[in-house]
Amino acid sequence: MLPFKLVYSDRYYLPIGNHVFPAEKYRRIHDRLISTGVAAPEDFLEPQPASDQDILLVHKPEYVEKLRTGTLSQREEMEMEIPYSRELADAFWLAAGGSILAARRCLSDRVCISIGGGFHHAFPDHGEGFCMIHDVAVAIRRLQRDDQIRTAMTVDCDVHQGNGTAAIFAGTRTASALLPSSSASTVAQPRNAPRGKMRGAHAGDVFTISLHQHNNYPLWKPSSSIDVDLPDGTGDDDYLAWLDNALSSGLRQFEPELICYIAGADPYKEDQLGGLNLTIEGLKKRDELVFKVAQARNIPIMVTFAGGYARNIDDTVTIHSNTILAARDIYADP
Ligand SMILES: [Zn+2]
């Protein structure tokens, strides 16, 4: 039995047909965890779909209406890069519900992982890059609305920049929140910095960190609180140095009550949509680093899985399953 819960539903599956996004990965991760004895059925929590009211905490009413009635324009559907269906919308509502559940649950359990979600390219008024609804943003706003948290930090390690996250939380504040001091700062480069660039400025109640390949989608990268633009081919050691630096820098500036870790599998060297050079072992070290930092500072952490397009889907399943193993190692009861 795991020392934390996994949020999962067979209905996380995205009905998008033959697509580069391996929608069956969620079920395969679940099955792998069960067949290897890492998890037992009682380790899983079944999510409920988010309500429209939850979705509207982040998304514009006109956009939600189009999704509910199937009236996206052809251009809007093309930009989303996944074929609209009512069933697909339901899967995104469920992913958002799963992220709400994981965020809430980690407040008591220290960590909770949703085997889904991480749709960080969704904007308030449109979807793009395989993302219809920003489940993580919905979860943060719902917990803020319920007064369960005031502040949060997103740590986005998908190979693609978290443009939706950056846009949603850029300088935003919720009316009721007691605000941390906001700061606008330039981030110093670490001494002996590996190639890459860190930049940032922050204002608001959600601090956003994104580590991503610079020469990759999205072309337009709205500013996160900290963006680390990594050059093509960045390997394990440089990546981990940048991540360590970004986390230290972020947590010097901001004290979140919740960390939302977006654990994309696509910085992997065999990824079809990524150009970084991380190994499976390096990606597990990445996960361990994020969990260690959260645990050492006693900050609850929820995890979503985002992208992962390895040539061999088994590698994607392994990388995501390793995130659960990393959490198990770090959060094992003493
Ligand atoms: Zn990605």
Side-chain angles (χ1 to χ4, degrees):
M1 208 174 119
L2 290 166
F4 51 85
K5 294 293 183 192
L6 302 169
V7 176
Y8 172 75
S9 167
D10 287 339
R11 291 173 298 135
Y12 271 175
Y13 175 80
L14 303 176
I16 51 179
N18 191 9
H19 195 282
V20 68
F21 190 99
E24 71 276 23
K25 74 175 181 177
Y26 307 126
R27 186 185 50 74
R28 289 178 66 149
I29 296 161
H30 168 271
D31 293 355
R32 171 90 65 91
L33 295 169
I34 294 285
S35 68
T36 54
V38 169
E42 58 266 31
D43 291 320
F44 293 90
L45 299 174
E46 176 86 20
Q48 297 299 314
S51 67
D52 287 1
Q53 207 184 2
D54 296 333
I55 301 295
L56 288 164
L57 294 170
V58 169
H59 293 281
K60 299 277 187 221
E62 303 75 35
Y63 178 52
V64 175
E65 178 67 15
K66 285 180 191 172
L67 296 176
R68 277 307 196 192
T69 52
T71 49
L72 290 174
S73 69
Q74 222 171 22
R75 192 177 160 276
E76 287 170 319
E77 196 175 339
M78 267 174 55
E79 198 173 13
M80 206 159 65
E81 296 186 85
I82 40 176
Y84 174 87
S85 65
R86 183 57 205 252
E87 294 69 35
L88 182 62
D90 288 344
F92 277 97
W93 257 250
L94 185 63
S99 291
I100 292 170
L101 178 58
R104 199 176 274 148
R105 185 78 189 199
C106 81
L107 299 181
S108 53
D109 290 0
R110 301 187 291 167
V111 56
C112 186
I113 299 176
S114 180
I115 301 177
F119 297 113
H120 58 159
H121 302 309
F123 284 71
D125 63 351
H126 73 276
E128 59 176 76
F130 319 152
C131 301
M132 182 187 285
I133 291 292
H134 200 309
D135 55 290
V136 175
V138 169
I140 291 170
R141 290 306 191 212
R142 174 63 197 267
L143 265 65
Q144 287 179 324
R145 200 204 69 186
D146 293 346
D147 281 329
Q148 288 188 289
I149 58 164
R150 289 166 301 172
T151 59
M153 173 180 281
T154 59
V155 177
D156 190 338
C157 290
D158 191 275
V159 80
H160 304 104
Q161 196 241 8
N163 55 348
T165 322
I168 288 166
F169 295 118
T172 57
R173 294 168 178 201
T174 49
S176 65
L178 193 66
L179 293 170
S181 60
S182 59
S183 60
S185 60
T186 48
V187 180
Q189 305 298 308
R191 216 168 277 175
N192 305 319
R195 286 187 312 132
K197 191 158 77 66
M198 186 150 96
R199 57 197 161 87
H202 174 72
D205 56 10
V206 179
F207 193 100
T208 55
I209 297 177
S210 178
L211 267 82
H212 48 262
Q213 183 189 3
H214 179 64
N215 295 320
N216 204 328
Y217 168 88
L219 190 60
W220 177 61
K221 297 176 176 65
S223 292
S224 311
S225 307
I226 293 177
D227 280 296
V228 180
D229 298 316
L230 297 167
D232 300 356
T234 297
D236 292 344
D237 291 346
D238 283 356
Y239 187 95
L240 292 169
W242 277 114
L243 176 59
D244 192 27
N245 198 263
L247 288 170
S248 316
S249 174
L251 290 166
R252 262 198 310 275
Q253 300 175 55
F254 193 81
E255 288 180 28
E257 294 170 348
L258 166 71
I259 291 177
C260 299
Y261 176 35
I262 298 170
D266 48 13
Y268 178 44
K269 61 187 171 72
E270 296 290 329
D271 198 88
Q272 300 173 84
L273 301 184
L276 299 185
N277 209 22
L278 274 72
T279 64
I280 288 179
E281 297 72 36
L283 285 158
K284 190 169 181 215
K285 285 186 188 152
R286 169 198 74 166
D287 298 335
E288 288 166 354
L289 175 57
V290 175
F291 289 129
K292 273 183 197 159
V293 166
Q295 194 213 32
R297 293 173 186 255
N298 210 13
I299 305 167
I301 181 167
M302 65 84 84
V303 185
T304 53
F305 279 165
Y309 316 92
R311 274 170 255 286
N312 180 351
I313 189 184
D314 278 337
D315 288 347
T316 298
V317 173
T318 298
I319 293 163
H320 287 315
S321 301
N322 281 347
T323 303
I324 292 155
L325 294 177
R328 186 187 65 177
D329 293 347
I330 305 291
Y331 288 93
D333 289 325

